[in-house]
Each structure stands twice: as structure tokens, then as C-alpha cells.
Amino acid sequence: RSIRLGGYPVPLESDAEGRSTLFFLVPYPGACIHVPPPPPNQLVLVRYPSGIALEDIYAPLWVSGTLKVEPISNELAEAAYALDAAAVRPVEEADL
């Protein structure tokens, strides 16, 4: 299903230019950095091959794309969903 979802990034992988191409989208800033992480139903693995420069992981993002149920597990956390992002951008004051 195609959606737009807001949340905070937890970077996992980046490209040669340092742009994040794979990250968890979490419901509050700093989640997954401290133990324990949020439950799997509150985490979304975002795949964004175009990449985004993340200057501040405490700044919220809008992520648009196709959401699917896809269990993901790595050393950081477990997620119940994955999102193939078509667009990622910072949340701006005008959005609120």
C-alpha cells in the first residue's frame, strides 16, 4: 500500500556520499540507540536507494512509498514492516 509516514531515522547503511539509503523509521527520537528498542509493530525498515543526507537524527522525516508487512531482524532491532521509499524529506514547520 502506498502511504506517507512520519517518524525519526535510525541510520543503518549509507552510500559512498554518506547519504542514508537504509534506515529504521521509529516513533520517537533516539529509539533503538538505547535499549530496549520499540516493539516490531512500531518500527519500519525504509529502503531509499536515492539516499538522504541526515544532518540530525533527532529531526523528523516524512517518508512516502509502498508499505508492506515484512518481518526484519538485525542486531539493532526487529521490525514488522518495510517501506520502499519513493521520497524522503524533513518535516517542515509548515507541515505542522
Side-chain angles (χ1 to χ4, degrees):
R1 180 166 198 184
S2 188
I3 65 161
R4 181 176 81 160
L5 186 64
Y8 297 87
V10 176
L12 299 172
E13 292 180 12
S14 57
D15 63 15
E17 287 80 34
R19 295 182 305 249
S20 288
T21 56
L22 185 71
F23 56 91
F24 281 129
L25 196 67
V26 298
Y28 53 88
C32 291
I33 294 172
H34 305 291
V35 183
N41 68 337
Q42 293 182 14
L43 294 176
V44 177
L45 180 74
V46 176
R47 296 181 187 103
Y48 189 48
S50 300
I52 182 170
L54 296 176
E55 296 177 20
D56 182 2
I57 64 169
Y58 296 98
L61 299 175
W62 284 122
V63 179
S64 301
T66 304
L67 181 70
K68 53 190 158 189
V69 175
E70 182 181 327
I72 307 289
S73 182
N74 70 19
E75 64 280 349
L76 197 56
E78 294 182 6
Y81 305 99
L83 194 149
D84 293 323
V88 178
R89 71 170 180 87
V91 173
E92 299 172 356
E93 181 119 4
D95 296 328
L96 306 176

